[in-house]
Every structure is written in C-alpha cells, then in structure tokens.
Amino acid sequence: MGKAVGIVEVFGLVAAFAACDAGCKAGNVTVENFDKNKPANADSLPVPLIVAVKFRGEVDDVTAAVESAIAAAERVSGVVTHHIIPNCDENTEKMLKLDGFDKD
C-alpha cells in the first residue's frame, strides 16, 4: 500500500497553480502530474477546463495540503470537488501517473 493521496479538481489552470502552491506550502507533500478534463458542458462553466491537482504524502500532510488548496482555488475560480485516499492501492497508484496535458 502507498502513501495518502489528495485530489482537488478546480476550474482552470490558474486555480490549479494557486491550489498547488498553497498545498505544497501547507504540508510536506509531493505533487503528481496535473490532469485535465473538458466536460461536455464546458461552455456553461466558470472556466471551460477542469484541472485535477494530486498531492502525495502522509495523511495529515495531505489533509493540510487539500484544505489549503481548496481555499486558494476558491479565491481564483472555484473548486469542483475534492477527495482524500488515506492509503492508496497499487492499482490506483498507476492511475495517478496519467495526465491529459500531453494529449490533444
């Protein structure tokens, strides 16, 4: 089993960078590749791109990072959702490495 994972989905890349910065400052965490999603209803969203910021570390550090990331993203354009996995399974670990930024 792996470390804890915290995922925060935000509206837009600027909010993702703000969330990432705040999260890294709040806890002893590392960051996986950002992931992106452009949903079918993108034109009705505050920003037409959803970005997932993924933190790794001990549960307390990941929790602090996610809480700070949420606060930072809310000041920019908003949060879609968030979730913490306390002890990541190895199959989930593989999925964390995927990202949509290298695809058209």
Side-chain angles (χ1 to χ4, degrees), residues 23-90:
C24 288
K25 290 174 179 171
N28 183 21
V29 294
T30 59
V31 179
E32 297 286 344
N33 294 339
F34 286 1
D35 199 1
K36 70 175 181 171
N37 180 21
K38 185 172 181 180
N41 67 336
D43 292 336
S44 68
L45 299 175
V47 177
L49 179 69
I50 295 174
V51 180
V53 180
K54 301 171 275 187
F55 298 103
R56 300 298 309 274
E58 299 300 321
V59 175
D60 290 343
D61 288 315
V62 169
T63 300
V66 166
E67 289 171 357
S68 292
I70 290 168
E74 289 290 358
R75 289 190 297 270
V76 177
S77 56
V79 173
V80 178
T81 191
H82 67 280
H83 188 73
I84 295 174
I85 302 170
N87 197 5
C88 193
D89 182 83
E90 68 181 57

